[in-house]
Amino acid sequence: MSDDRKFEILGVLLLALTTLLFLALTTDGYLGESTRPILPVSDLMDAPNVLGKPGALIAGVLYVLLGHAAHTISLVTCVWGMMLIRHQPIDRFTGRFAGTLLLTFSIAALLDLDFATPGRLVGGTIGAFFGSFLEPAFGLIGANVVAVTLSLVGILLATEFLFIRMGHAVINGTVLAVGTIRELHRDLSERLADRRAQRAMRRAE
């Protein structure tokens, strides 16, 4: 079996796992609410979930630890799956794993800093921990700047995303859109000019 075929199979499997994780999180009966029973584990697994007890357990643990930042994991694994399908190996796994943790923890901290309410940990216990450390040290605005910066570093480490490429893509897309608008304007002007000329000729006749 060729390496490209192996990459494709691994990519499909990873996308399937990503779909299962996404379903477990989005169909969770509590959706990260603090009223979820944690102990004993049997109560944690009794939460409504389309994937049954395994889905309830996974969603429960992730929501307790990360809150809604748990969705970051499924986004990263989706990117990894697409990379494998495109025959790009997942190299530097240690760095990518560290980047995923950095990205997820930073998003959790951002959620806790900006959206947490009394009795509701939007960023989970991890987000509350880092948020309680960042805000006293840097203030609310400074803590947001630090968390966003760490999130961007995590994206760079975890994925093949490059901001330079994004900038080039935006510039090229803008140039293409402007050129298309100019062409449409030119065609429309020519058609209007032809119609005016035809009307003038009819009146002259």
Side-chain angles (χ1 to χ4, degrees):
M1 184 182 298
S2 64
D3 291 338
D4 289 346
R5 187 63 64 191
K6 292 179 181 178
F7 288 154
E8 292 172 356
I9 293 174
L10 290 175
V12 170
L13 292 176
L14 190 55
L15 288 178
L17 292 176
T18 301
T19 302
L20 293 175
L21 177 59
F22 177 78
L23 289 174
L25 292 173
T26 54
T27 62
D28 178 68
Y30 289 94
L31 291 177
E33 294 292 338
S34 57
T35 55
R36 170 192 294 276
I38 300 176
L39 294 175
V41 178
S42 58
D43 292 342
L44 181 67
M45 298 174 65
D46 287 337
N49 196 289
V50 72
L51 299 183
K53 293 183 180 298
L57 177 62
I58 294 173
V61 171
L62 289 178
Y63 271 131
V64 168
L65 292 177
L66 300 168
H68 293 285
H71 293 283
T72 306
I73 300 175
S74 59
L75 291 176
V76 173
T77 55
C78 180
V79 172
W80 289 357
M82 295 303 298
M83 288 174 58
L84 289 171
I85 290 178
R86 295 173 59 186
H87 307 153
Q88 297 179 359
I90 306 298
D91 53 356
R92 301 181 293 103
F93 183 76
T94 302
R96 292 183 187 276
F97 182 74
T100 302
L101 292 180
L102 181 61
L103 173 62
T104 306
F105 291 174
S106 300
I107 296 297
L110 279 172
L111 292 176
D112 181 79
L113 288 169
D114 299 327
F115 301 104
T117 56
R120 188 167 184 263
L121 301 178
V122 184
T125 55
I126 292 178
F129 172 77
F130 286 105
S132 64
F133 169 76
L134 290 174
E135 186 172 2
F138 301 99
L140 181 60
I141 296 177
N144 276 272
V145 172
V146 172
V148 169
T149 302
L150 293 177
S151 299
L152 297 178
V153 173
I155 292 175
L156 294 175
L157 291 174
T159 67
E160 293 295 323
F161 181 85
L162 293 177
F163 293 100
I164 295 178
R165 293 181 181 177
M166 183 187 71
H168 288 168
V170 171
I171 293 174
N172 292 335
T174 303
V175 172
L176 180 62
V178 171
T180 302
I181 293 174
R182 287 180 177 176
E183 290 293 332
L184 291 175
H185 179 71
R186 184 181 304 170
D187 292 341
L188 181 60
S189 299
E190 291 178 354
R191 290 181 181 180
L192 291 175
D194 291 340
R195 290 181 180 179
R196 291 173 181 172
Q198 291 176 0
R199 290 177 182 178
M201 292 177 61
R202 291 174 182 175
R203 291 176 181 177
E205 292 176 355

